[in-house]
Amino acid sequence: MIKPGDKIAVGVSAGKDSLTLLCAMAELRRFYPVPFELVAITVDMGFEGGMDFSPIQALCDELNVPYHITKTEIAKIIFDIRQEKSPCSLCAKMRRGALHRAAKDLGCNVVALGHHFDDAVETFMLNLFFEGRLGCFSPVTYLSRMDITLIRPMIYMPEKEVRYFANKVDLPVIKSPCPADGNTQREEMKQLLAKLDREHNGLRYRIFGAMQRGEIDGFKIMPGMQGIKAYEEEGVEE
């Protein structure tokens, strides 16, 4: 995913996933076989009352990663002006656009996102259930219009491990003030998959394995990545 001389922007939402990715990428610089630069970018949605990102700034200072906040009025557009009943899709597109523009302005050619194993399975199932298609986001995506490559380095990392790390090192997670938080189709799918996985142990790993074998949107079984296959066969409990 990383080439020599890449300047990588880590999209930091202030949630556990993006903060874990930030820490991992900062540590990776010490021993990765090729050099790369790192910056962190937060898209400020512009919620009323504002958000205090000073704990994220402190973490970035500790990690020696430059930190940039891009201010927007996305929240006002989504909830006040358009009054979207299903805001997540449009909001995601606007946040991505703001993140990509900020990355380009900072001279970055790569954007790293904090999607993990469970996100991939949930997205695949959401596309199947609500759009009737087999698809997911790709582990690596080149955006020709922006000349930016998106990478998702934590794609093999289960959410439970992200949660464990965030708690262990006491990451400064900031709860989202979004009124739609926790009341989305994704949250419904997360709960459904959790229930089904309790009844059919290892289900999520079998779904991920099917995505790999079917090579859905760039997913495939990579040499040396037997870990997911082991989970799938053993049915590891959370």
Side-chain angles (χ1 to χ4, degrees):
M1 290 185 176
I2 302 174
K3 299 180 179 62
D6 278 348
K7 186 172 183 179
I8 303 173
V10 178
V12 177
S13 67
K16 69 181 190 314
D17 303 336
S18 62
L19 292 176
T20 295
L21 174 63
L22 175 63
C23 292
M25 295 293 287
E27 185 70 10
L28 187 64
R29 290 177 302 182
R30 296 197 307 112
F31 58 85
Y32 200 69
V34 300
F36 64 91
E37 294 182 61
L38 203 62
V39 300
I41 301 175
T42 291
V43 175
D44 186 341
M45 298 278 289
F47 284 105
E48 186 175 354
M51 294 177 65
D52 179 14
F53 295 111
S54 59
I56 311 300
Q57 179 68 70
L59 175 64
C60 288
D61 291 343
E62 181 182 340
L63 296 173
N64 194 27
V65 175
Y67 182 49
H68 303 270
I69 300 174
T70 298
K71 294 186 177 297
T72 73
E73 294 188 346
I74 294 176
K76 181 179 179 180
I77 295 170
I78 295 288
F79 295 105
D80 298 337
I81 298 175
R82 295 179 60 100
Q83 298 183 0
E84 292 282 334
K85 294 181 180 179
S86 300
C88 296
S89 178
L90 178 59
C91 180
K93 290 179 182 178
M94 295 181 72
R95 281 188 290 113
R96 283 197 300 268
L99 175 61
H100 298 165
R101 286 192 298 273
K104 287 295 290 184
D105 289 344
L106 292 169
C108 298
N109 65 311
V110 178
V111 171
L113 302 175
H115 295 118
H116 48 63
F117 169 87
D118 292 79
D119 287 328
V121 174
E122 290 160 14
T123 299
F124 176 78
M125 296 300 290
L126 282 166
N127 287 330
L128 179 62
F129 273 47
F130 296 105
E131 297 184 21
R133 66 182 181 90
L134 300 178
C136 188
F137 52 70
S138 298
V140 178
T141 306
Y142 176 66
L143 305 179
S144 57
R145 288 176 59 186
M146 296 292 294
D147 190 27
I148 281 180
T149 300
L150 304 184
I151 62 174
R152 295 174 167 91
M154 298 201 304
I155 206 69
Y156 291 107
M157 190 172 186
E159 185 175 16
K160 64 180 180 180
E161 295 183 10
V162 176
R163 188 182 304 112
Y164 172 79
F165 175 80
N167 291 334
K168 183 177 178 61
V169 303
D170 195 23
L171 289 178
V173 174
I174 301 174
K175 180 174 173 52
S176 171
C178 177
D181 187 42
N183 187 29
T184 62
Q185 288 180 340
R186 179 170 292 277
E187 183 61 28
E188 290 180 26
M189 182 57 66
K190 181 186 290 288
Q191 297 304 321
L192 175 60
L193 284 170
K195 177 179 182 296
L196 291 173
D197 202 53
R198 286 193 295 270
E199 298 172 355
H200 307 281
N201 196 22
L203 174 68
R204 278 173 287 190
Y205 296 99
R206 290 190 288 276
I207 293 173
F208 192 90
M211 293 166 60
Q212 291 179 302
R213 288 186 288 274
E215 298 192 357
I216 302 296
D217 290 330
F219 284 82
K220 55 186 176 181
I221 297 176
M222 301 294 291
M225 292 302 298
Q226 289 83 17
I228 295 298
K229 183 174 176 58
Y231 273 120
E232 178 188 342
E233 292 174 347
E234 295 171 9
V236 176
E237 292 193 30
E238 295 194 11

